[in-house]
Amino acid sequence: MDLQTAIQETQCALNLVLNDKFSEALDLLKPWWKDSMYHALGYSSILVMQATMTFEHKDIQTAMATIKEALNTCQRFRKKNSMVGSLSSLISKQSNLQEGECGVLYRRVSGAGPNQDVLLFVVEMHAEICYAECLLQKATLTFVQDENMISFIKGGIKIRTSYQIYKDCQNVLNVTRNLSSQADSFRQFEGGVQLGIGSFNLMLSLLPQRILRLLEFIGFSGNRAFGLSQLREGAASQSLRSILSVLTLLFYHTYVSLILGTGEGNLAEAEALLEPYQRKYPKGSIILFYSARIAALRGNFETARARYEECISSQQEWKQIHHLCYWELMWTHSYQQEWQQAYRYADLLCRESRWSKAIYVFQKAAILSMMSEEEAKKTGEDISDLFRQVEGLKQRLAGKSIPTEKFAVRKSRRYKSSSPIPLVVPALEMMYVWNGFTILGKRSDFTESLLVTIESAEEKLRSDTNPTEFHTDDSCLVQMLKGLCLKHLGRLLQAELCFTQVLSSEGRIKYDHYLVPFTLYELGLLYKQQGDFAKAATFIEKAKTNYKDYSMESRLHFRIHAALSSLKGTPAGTP
């Protein structure tokens, strides 16, 4: 099968995926996946996506076997000494490149005979891109397949190799751009380079400076502006990978910038990117999901809920997409303190999803804790028993606990004794962990309502005549959450008082030491909102340098990096 036909068939398969016809896409790609690099890439991509969503051992094994075969298929089309060794040769012989029929690049090969053009260079270019993409997929599977550090290192090596291939391909692109910019095969190659280089630069730019400096030493680079520009160019192109660049940008604006940043995702750009695909795939579950997510981030919870429900009903083949919707529906109901509905989705996740049983069970118990005793009893659940289950459900990645699971385990240990001391507003604490107050803050009505709940917990702690050893920690948590509500309601002086009350209690906190650096960070953001950038930087830097070995430290360092970047005039979450 020739290259152009292979790309066209893979595009058809991608269209089927976006229309929720996953099995049909696999059936289209399967006959050629051991003979065509693009069929191999497309076939393995669908199976890898399925494996990472199900976390089922058999799916991971099947995907790993497929990706190994896909790499072998791509390898057969690569130049024997790879692009790295051939780049200097390419530069010296670039005049041999010309455009042939159907807009395909050819290279005249000496000794091939007069007027004999052979398809060679373009196939090698595309083989490099496909190989790099397959390597990234294999690295992803390596991380989730095993729990040991060796697997982590192996995955890291694959990522570095993939990145180096992308850099070599970018050099080739720069050399050949003027000669071949009109060829369709060149545009397809360019789209692959833009997706790879853009994604690497964007994601690496999120890393805290100390980590990024180390990675730059071994050859990586993390330029956020360049990464965004590459992905935008890729999204605007008419290539096979245009939609992949779009989905990468959507993921960045709607998830990464919120969870690992300050919550300043560019929703206007996200909507503009999504709009043409909403017209093309109006019932596609992936498109519906992002449409719902954008609505939620704008505070339109009712619209978001309707779209998530439409996403669930749009297809039944991949239940894992339902699980993504359950997670989001659980939170949209939580923002509105509709705890019974939130419990329903947390319970569905506990029953059906394998991603993180520890988080799901903790979340379910936390939601039940927000209900009245009578409401909780109606569910037939034992809250203390649920919290006690959490520790036995945690997973490990590269030999280490997942930070959010580790946090949930530590918090749930309060229920180990026969007379447990209940957590205070645990569902709201987890809401903060996922930066949910930034979303909630878009709606003053629900923020006011949540503030009433927090002040009720505050009053209960204040009037406690027999305070426990957790009293100071609980009081500080309540003050930090209260400060966040007040900040989003524009009552900045009152918010500042709440935050400073937490800081003044630092010496008396026994367990939740994370509260102090996180509060310093929030106070810094408050001063930024007031326009005092110098004071903001001082408090955020203090959170960065003066504290270590606390819960979710790495997550805070990501957010600190984003905040300090925004103070320097280059907001990490916005273009």
Side-chain angles (χ1 to χ4, degrees):
M1 181 178 287
D2 67 84
L3 185 66
Q4 290 296 99
T5 305
I7 291 173
Q8 288 166 7
E9 283 208 358
T10 307
Q11 180 68 67
C12 289
L14 182 56
N15 290 339
L16 287 169
V17 168
L18 291 168
N19 277 313
D20 298 328
K21 297 176 180 177
F22 306 107
S23 296
E24 287 182 39
L26 287 170
D27 290 341
L28 177 62
L29 295 167
K30 192 172 184 178
W32 287 91
W33 80 279
K34 291 188 178 181
D35 301 296
S36 157
M37 67 178 98
Y38 272 99
H39 285 72
L41 174 63
Y43 190 72
S44 63
S45 296
I46 295 172
L47 292 179
V48 169
M49 185 164 66
Q50 186 177 35
T52 53
M53 291 177 81
T54 65
F55 263 56
E56 293 284 353
H57 181 70
K58 62 179 177 61
D59 289 340
I60 294 172
Q61 292 298 103
T62 300
M64 183 60 86
T66 305
I67 201 68
K68 286 177 181 176
E69 190 67 42
L71 283 165
N72 290 335
T73 301
C74 295
Q75 181 64 41
R76 292 204 303 272
F77 294 97
R78 297 177 77 203
K79 190 172 177 65
K80 295 299 179 255
N81 59 343
S82 87
M83 300 285 276
V84 183
S86 63
L87 182 58
S88 59
S89 172
L90 162 69
I91 294 170
S92 65
K93 297 178 182 179
Q94 58 179 284
S95 59
N96 287 336
L97 293 174
Q98 54 190 284
E99 189 175 337
E101 293 178 12
C102 304
V104 174
L105 287 179
Y106 289 84
R107 185 172 74 206
R108 185 178 295 282
V109 178
S110 59
N115 301 319
Q116 283 187 298
D117 288 326
V118 295
L119 177 63
L120 180 62
F121 175 64
V122 67
V123 174
E124 293 167 0
M125 289 199 312
H126 281 268
E128 292 297 320
I129 284 292
C130 292
Y131 190 84
E133 289 173 345
C134 286
L135 264 185
L136 277 181
Q137 291 177 13
K138 191 175 181 186
T140 302
L141 283 182
T142 302
F143 290 139
V144 301
Q145 185 180 36
D146 294 309
E147 299 178 348
N148 57 62
M149 184 57 75
I150 299 299
S151 293
F152 191 77
I153 293 168
K154 283 181 179 178
I157 291 169
K158 290 179 182 71
I159 289 173
R160 190 181 187 282
T161 304
S162 176
Y163 179 70
Q164 192 57 51
I165 292 171
Y166 277 120
K167 284 181 70 178
D168 292 329
C169 287
Q170 188 180 34
N171 289 333
V172 171
L173 188 66
N174 294 336
V175 167
T176 60
R177 179 172 275 114
N178 293 335
L179 296 166
S180 49
S181 60
Q182 299 307 308
D184 182 66
S185 57
F186 178 87
R187 285 194 293 273
Q188 296 291 347
F189 174 73
E190 184 178 39
V193 174
Q194 288 165 336
L195 173 64
I197 290 291
S199 299
F200 264 111
N201 273 275
L202 181 59
M203 295 311 168
L204 288 170
S205 74
L206 298 165
L207 294 171
Q209 208 59 43
R210 56 194 172 90
I211 300 173
L212 188 55
R213 277 196 294 268
L214 177 63
L215 290 174
E216 286 173 342
F217 181 73
I218 59 173
F220 287 98
S221 65
N223 185 315
R224 183 184 58 84
F226 179 64
L228 284 168
S229 71
Q230 286 289 290
L231 286 166
R232 284 169 182 150
E233 286 178 28
S237 70
Q238 298 300 311
S239 75
L240 171 68
R241 296 172 176 87
S242 297
I243 181 60
L244 303 181
S245 291
V246 167
L247 291 174
T248 302
L249 285 167
L250 286 172
F251 184 66
Y252 172 71
H253 287 313
T254 62
Y255 279 99
V256 175
S257 63
L258 188 87
I259 296 169
L260 299 182
T262 58
E264 298 172 346
N266 189 333
L267 297 184
E269 180 176 28
E271 286 172 327
L273 287 166
L274 194 62
E275 195 266 336
Y277 293 96
Q278 285 178 297
R279 292 198 308 270
K280 192 172 182 180
Y281 310 103
K283 299 297 181 183
S285 59
I286 296 170
I287 304 304
L288 282 169
F289 179 82
Y290 274 110
S291 174
R293 176 66 176 172
I294 291 168
L297 291 176
R298 288 205 177 279
N300 300 325
F301 302 141
E302 299 83 1
T303 301
R305 196 154 60 234
R307 287 179 187 165
Y308 284 130
E309 288 166 357
E310 187 180 357
C311 179
I312 291 167
S313 62
S314 68
Q315 62 85 34
Q316 301 301 316
E317 189 173 348
W318 277 19
K319 293 287 188 181
Q320 294 74 34
I321 294 175
H322 295 184
H323 301 159
L324 288 169
C325 295
Y326 295 163
W327 175 261
E328 295 299 336
L329 284 163
M330 178 189 73
W331 283 116
T332 54
H333 284 296
S334 294
Y335 299 143
Q336 296 173 270
Q337 296 188 80
E338 296 171 347
W339 300 118
Q340 288 177 318
Q341 293 93 323
Y343 162 77
R344 177 187 161 218
Y345 289 108
D347 187 50
L348 281 169
L349 286 167
C350 287
R351 294 172 189 271
E352 296 182 15
S353 178
R354 290 173 54 88
W355 287 335
S356 176
K357 292 286 187 184
I359 291 294
Y360 297 149
V361 172
F362 182 89
Q363 197 69 43
K364 182 162 76 164
I367 289 168
L368 286 166
S369 300
M370 303 300 296
M371 296 182 188
S372 68
E373 194 174 333
E374 185 181 339
E375 286 176 324
K377 273 184 179 178
K378 286 179 183 176
T379 65
E381 303 271 15
D382 184 320
I383 296 174
S384 296
D385 185 55
L386 286 172
F387 278 122
R388 290 183 190 119
Q389 291 175 31
V390 173
E391 188 160 11
L393 296 169
K394 69 177 179 181
Q395 304 172 94
R396 297 180 76 79
L397 184 65
K400 292 194 172 184
S401 299
I402 299 166
T404 44
E405 288 195 352
K406 194 174 180 181
F407 179 78
V409 166
R410 192 180 63 74
K411 297 295 291 188
S412 64
R413 283 181 183 146
R414 273 171 62 162
Y415 290 82
K416 274 195 163 184
S417 71
S418 55
S419 301
I421 300 165
L423 291 167
V424 176
V425 293
L428 306 190
E429 186 173 19
M430 286 303 278
M431 188 184 291
Y432 176 70
V433 164
W434 294 102
N435 216 356
F437 279 78
T438 302
I439 303 172
L440 174 74
K442 302 287 175 64
R443 290 286 293 267
S444 59
D445 50 350
F446 296 129
T447 306
E448 285 277 11
S449 201
L450 202 69
L451 180 60
V452 171
T453 299
I454 292 169
E455 287 178 334
S456 175
E458 178 187 29
E459 180 55 36
K460 189 176 178 181
L461 284 166
R462 189 184 292 123
S463 60
D464 190 349
T465 56
N466 186 26
T468 70
E469 59 179 320
F470 300 102
H471 190 268
T472 300
D473 298 55
D474 291 343
S475 297
C476 287
L477 169 63
V478 165
Q479 287 305 310
M480 184 182 76
L481 299 181
K482 181 180 177 181
L484 286 165
C485 287
L486 291 166
K487 184 187 84 167
H488 287 296
L489 290 168
R491 292 150 66 178
L492 303 188
L493 182 59
Q494 289 174 275
E496 183 179 359
L497 289 171
C498 290
F499 292 147
T500 53
Q501 189 172 326
V502 176
L503 300 181
S504 66
S505 304
E506 179 178 356
R508 293 181 287 121
I509 292 174
K510 293 185 178 180
Y511 303 101
D512 291 330
H513 299 291
Y514 84 95
L515 289 169
V516 175
F518 272 87
T519 300
L520 282 166
Y521 163 78
E522 294 296 347
L523 194 52
L525 292 185
L526 179 71
Y527 291 135
K528 179 193 170 188
Q529 190 175 334
Q530 292 175 324
D532 193 339
F533 284 17
K535 199 170 184 181
T538 299
F539 276 83
I540 294 170
E541 284 284 359
K542 189 176 179 183
K544 175 183 173 182
T545 56
N546 290 10
Y547 301 87
K548 62 179 182 178
D549 301 327
Y550 53 87
S551 293
M552 309 237 275
E553 183 176 354
S554 58
R555 183 166 297 196
L556 181 58
H557 277 277
F558 274 103
R559 292 180 185 176
I560 285 171
H561 174 62
L564 291 175
S565 296
S566 72
L567 287 169
K568 292 171 186 172
T570 54
T574 56

